[in-house]
Amino acid sequence: DQQVKQNSPSLSVQEGRISILNCDYTNSMFDYFLWYKKYPAEGPTFLISISSIKDKNEDGRFTVFLNKSAKHLSLHIVPSQPGDSAVYFCAAGRISSGSARQLTFGSGTQLTVLP
Amino acid sequence: EAGVAQSPRYKIIEKRQSVAFWCNPISGHATLYWYQQILGQGPKLLIQFQNNGVVDDSQLPKDRFSAERLKGVDSTLKIQPAKLEDSAVYLCASSPSGGDTQYFGPGTRLTVL
């Protein structure tokens, strides 16, 4: 049962254009969402997050949008740069026990930014 | 600030052998996680510690996997005996107590032949 889905395994965009990565979730208990970026042979690196009480969070070139009614979030990268080429994982968080949080990850989207 | 450290970075073993992975979390982080990431998939949680106590190990195959976090700092994940399907990257992550964001180490790539 995949609770977090990234339906596009890959995405290619031209340098300078917008990259839009999508993620859908099914569990209404998720209250916090994150995007991680992963380069080959490295661990995932935290990129940006959003709480379920917001619908948008922006950090430089990166913006995350959350549509709770549709259980959908997206990551926008503007403008895209070749260094953004990586695998992007969407993760959804909820409280598991006491104050401890757990994350459920999507399967990732390989972004390639073409020079 | 030093990140999450893991060793070894790569390990190749024969099936039925045993293997152990080590993790040192970010200083002061009370919560430590072990994930398994199979090629083409996202990380899957195996076990979660809060200080030196287990919070959740429901996804840990306990017949062959074990983990401990003595003194609430470093952690070791062991597989005994290994199977072919255990080939994956094993990721360690940590977060401050009650923190929303997890910080990952570089992972250990395990190949079981």
Side-chain angles (χ1 to χ4, degrees):
Chain A
D1 175 28
Q2 265 191 296
Q3 297 186 60
V4 179
K5 291 183 182 179
Q6 294 178 255
N7 291 316
S8 298
S10 63
L11 173 69
S12 291
V13 298
Q14 209 68 36
E15 181 179 4
R17 307 295 285 268
I18 184 171
S19 295
I20 300 176
L21 296 95
N22 294 302
C23 179
D24 296 294
Y25 63 96
T26 57
N27 191 336
S28 300
M29 297 297 291
F30 292 137
D31 62 356
Y32 194 76
F33 304 89
L34 307 89
W35 284 94
Y36 284 84
K37 175 173 151 178
K38 186 181 183 304
Y39 293 118
E42 295 183 13
T45 302
F46 169 70
L47 193 57
I48 192 169
S49 61
I50 187 167
S51 164
S52 60
I53 62 173
K54 295 186 174 181
D55 55 17
K56 176 182 173 181
N57 188 27
E58 195 171 351
D59 183 2
R61 298 185 296 114
F62 302 90
T63 303
V64 56
F65 295 92
L66 175 63
N67 182 333
K68 280 183 64 180
S69 60
K71 292 190 176 66
H72 177 84
L73 65 155
S74 60
L75 174 68
H76 292 210
I77 307 173
V78 184
S80 301
Q81 299 174 353
D84 296 329
S85 296
V87 177
Y88 289 78
F89 289 100
C90 165
R94 61 180 180 87
I95 296 288
S96 60
S97 175
S99 62
R101 282 204 165 272
Q102 282 193 358
L103 295 181
T104 302
F105 284 82
S107 55
T109 296
Q110 171 70 57
L111 173 66
T112 302
V113 180
L114 304 167
Chain B
E1 180 185 73
V4 177
Q6 289 188 248
S7 68
R9 292 296 312 276
Y10 304 91
K11 190 74 177 179
I12 300 174
I13 61 172
E14 301 278 337
K15 61 183 179 184
R16 291 188 290 273
Q17 286 187 322
S18 62
V19 65
F21 313 126
W22 173 82
C23 172
N24 183 235
I26 293 172
S27 178
H29 280 195
T31 311
L32 185 147
Y33 310 80
W34 282 102
Y35 288 87
Q36 179 192 58
Q37 185 179 12
I38 293 171
L39 189 64
Q41 299 180 19
K44 185 186 89 170
L45 180 68
L46 291 175
I47 188 167
Q48 178 180 353
F49 292 93
Q50 183 79 10
N51 297 307
N52 60 348
V54 175
V55 172
D56 187 343
D57 63 358
S58 59
Q59 305 239 56
L60 188 74
K62 297 180 190 63
D63 57 334
R64 298 184 300 106
F65 286 65
S66 64
E68 60 182 11
R69 190 183 184 196
L70 301 175
K71 300 180 182 178
V73 182
D74 293 7
S75 178
T76 302
L77 176 69
K78 296 179 182 177
I79 308 175
Q80 181 179 10
K83 292 186 175 181
L84 297 177
E85 59 260 36
D86 298 332
S87 293
V89 175
Y90 291 84
L91 294 161
C92 179
S94 70
S95 67
S97 181
D100 294 318
T101 302
Q102 296 179 23
Y103 298 90
F104 284 81
T108 296
R109 179 174 294 278
L110 173 68
T111 303
V112 182
L113 302 175

